[in-house]
Amino acid sequence: MREPLSGIRVCDLSQNLAGPFCTQILADLGADVIKVEPPAGDPARAWGPPFWGEDSTLFLSANRGKRSVVFDLKTPEGTEALRRLAASSDIFVQALRPGVAERLGFGYEAVRSLREDVIYLSLSAYGPEGPLRDLPGYDPLMQGFTGIMSLTGYPDGPPARVGGSVVDFGTGMWGAIAVLSTLHGRDETGRGAHLDVALMDTAVTWVSYHLMGYLATGLVPGRMGSGLAAIAPYRAFPTTDGFRMIAAGNDGIYVRLCEALGCPELASDERFATNPERVARRDELFELLAERTRGLSSEELGRLLDAHDVPSAPIHDIAEVAANEQILAARMLAELPDSAIEGYRDVPSAFRLDGIRPRSERPPPAPGQHTTEILEELGLA
């Protein structure tokens, strides 16, 4: 596989999930990512159980492809080592609390004085401006702060967090996009840049159409379970053995859904002729359709809907995802042969490059595993 970032070095001071996920993307694309850890190591290593080997699976999910060094930045030796590493790096990534990097002597201007064309990425909770800029932040806090939790779950239940760390991983993705675009610009101009991404900003983008809907109507959206306020029918329907998601995203699909369920009269019913009319009567329509789905198993319903070209999907648990034929065929779970953990598998990048998913073959490092070799590369004892 071509490695677009071969020859690019990344100095990565980030911890937890957002920053490490960003730099893992860069490592998968061929960059030499050097993870700088404090003497106690990245706190995410202890975010478990579950653990796999010595580290938590949260840590393992975001640190493939990196080399690890341990520098104590409270000592002159550690500071000098980081200074040399920064001077040799194309990209400098930090997710420290606002002002901490500057106090340590590694703010943007300080690093730029060491490497004029450096691309410096800062990750933070609330961004560099505003009254909350100095506060820490974690994924669930941002899901609450930006309204995601007010939209997740069922109307009669408590607020719910989205099951995956969508804010952390999303922020990492925005960081990688910003870095890659700036690298492209640097090839033409020779100039680097100071980039900022924030957990709050990412979370706001995930609710963008809800925000715009409120601005347009003044109506505050709420929790809808498996449904979506703007489309109907578009939710999980009951079966004899559970539920199946059905997505009738346009009028044609709705007509085919009615035909599949043996109720063509609902397709011609004026009350449900268009999506806005179906949305206005969503509960009534749901009950009419659910009367038909309740008599079928999830598998039977799926076969019936497939035969009528109606989009649907089973609701898998994680064990079913890990064994699913389509997911395995897409190579979304891949072995890492160099890992010291027997049977180790992880999730590669979610895109293909010339038909191949970019993925470093270097397993997540132990704390300080590469300190000696990196110090030697930097000309230090």
Side-chain angles (χ1 to χ4, degrees), residues 45 214 232 249 268 293 343 374:
R45 291 182 182 274
Y214 167 73
S268 57
T293 68
I374 298 299

Side-chain angles (χ1 to χ4, degrees), residues 103-146:
R103 290 198 298 272
L104 292 172
F106 292 97
Y108 172 60
E109 293 300 334
V111 174
R112 186 169 177 266
S113 70
L114 301 171
R115 174 78 182 244
E116 186 175 358
D117 64 349
V118 70
I119 296 170
Y120 187 104
L121 174 64
S122 299
L123 298 98
S124 62
Y126 292 94
E129 302 161 333
L132 304 182
R133 65 180 298 273
D134 293 329
L135 292 181
Y138 291 91
D139 185 289
L141 303 183
M142 293 303 154
Q143 290 197 32
F145 186 83
T146 62

Side-chain angles (χ1 to χ4, degrees), residues 168-193:
D168 279 333
F169 282 2
T171 303
M173 291 172 63
W174 285 122
I177 291 169
V179 165
L180 293 173
S181 63
T182 308
L183 267 176
H184 175 70
R186 193 182 73 166
D187 289 342
E188 298 181 354
T189 66
R191 294 195 299 270

Side-chain angles (χ1 to χ4, degrees), residues 220-276:
V220 179
R223 298 189 291 278
M224 296 199 62
S226 63
L228 183 66
I231 308 174
Y234 201 92
R235 60 179 294 180
F237 280 78
T239 63
T240 59
D241 56 356
F243 293 87
R244 190 174 184 93
M245 281 295 303
I246 298 176
N250 59 47
D251 294 342
I253 296 175
Y254 170 68
V255 170
R256 296 197 297 274
L257 171 62
C258 294
E259 293 170 350
L261 295 180
C263 48
E265 69 280 2
L266 293 180
S268 57
D269 192 319
E270 293 184 356
R271 294 174 299 168
F272 311 122
T274 67
N275 183 68

Side-chain angles (χ1 to χ4, degrees), residues 149-170:
M149 290 177 69
S150 77
L151 302 164
T152 306
Y154 284 84
D156 56 351
R161 171 186 172 273
V162 177
S165 294
V166 293
V167 177
D168 279 333
F169 282 2

Side-chain angles (χ1 to χ4, degrees), residues 22-23 51 56 68 71-72 99 108 125-126 128 155 167 174 180 329 335 348 353 372:
C22 169
T23 53
F51 293 94
S56 76
S68 171
F71 293 162
D72 185 350
Y108 172 60
Y126 292 94
V167 177
W174 285 122
L180 293 173
E335 293 185 2
L353 180 60
T372 298

